Amino acid sequence: MTNLQRLLLEVQGINLDQNELAVYLQENDLNPHDEYVPSSATNKRNIYKTALSILESIANNPSLMKVYKLDDMTVADFHTNLINRIDQLERKIRSMKTDEQEQTGNVFMLFNS
């Protein structure tokens, strides 16, 4: 599975051109056609950061902020749910470690000489 395919799993239902997705991945230090490494904390964190960037771009679209009624859901509900998902991803990314942080473990230095 490539980084691009992994990103598509994370942003299911969002239809963007693969070239656009590739730019988002490159902005987060990932090559779209490189192999996705699930054991790499940095790789996984960058996938989530890319998904967050995509969701933030969608949230910045003013046409989605209008109130439309479709069946039982309004677009205002869509925007609220989108913002909630963005908040969830931000919290998750902040709590994730990179590969370097996992290797060093928990080191706390109270005094510096």
Side-chain angles (χ1 to χ4, degrees):
M1 174 181 287
T2 65
N3 287 324
L4 182 60
Q5 291 169 325
R6 176 60 181 93
L7 177 63
L8 288 171
L9 287 175
E10 196 60 39
V11 294
Q12 289 180 9
I14 297 173
N15 298 322
L16 291 176
D17 182 61
Q18 286 202 355
N19 292 328
E20 293 175 33
L21 294 172
V23 170
Y24 280 110
L25 284 164
Q26 290 167 350
E27 288 174 347
N28 287 288
D29 301 323
L30 291 171
N31 185 332
H33 304 293
D34 283 355
E35 189 70 22
Y36 173 68
V37 183
S39 60
S40 169
T42 301
N43 201 342
K44 187 174 183 178
R45 187 171 192 259
N46 287 345
I47 290 287
Y48 284 130
K49 285 171 59 177
T50 304
L52 177 63
S53 297
I54 291 169
L55 293 178
E56 287 174 337
S57 294
I58 292 170
N60 286 330
N61 186 343
S63 67
L64 295 177
M65 295 181 198
K66 296 178 184 176
V67 178
Y68 293 106
K69 185 81 170 167
L70 178 67
D71 296 331
D72 291 337
M73 185 176 165
T74 64
V75 175
D77 295 334
F78 167 75
H79 192 262
T80 301
N81 293 334
L82 180 63
I83 296 301
N84 288 340
R85 179 64 180 142
I86 287 171
D87 291 340
Q88 284 176 334
L89 269 176
E90 285 175 339
R91 282 192 302 276
K92 188 174 205 170
I93 290 167
R94 278 196 304 270
S95 69
M96 294 176 83
K97 295 182 178 184
T98 63
D99 291 336
E100 294 81 26
Q101 290 170 329
E102 283 189 351
Q103 289 175 354
T104 58
N106 292 331
V107 177
F108 178 73
M109 295 178 61
L110 183 58
F111 300 101
N112 190 7
S113 38

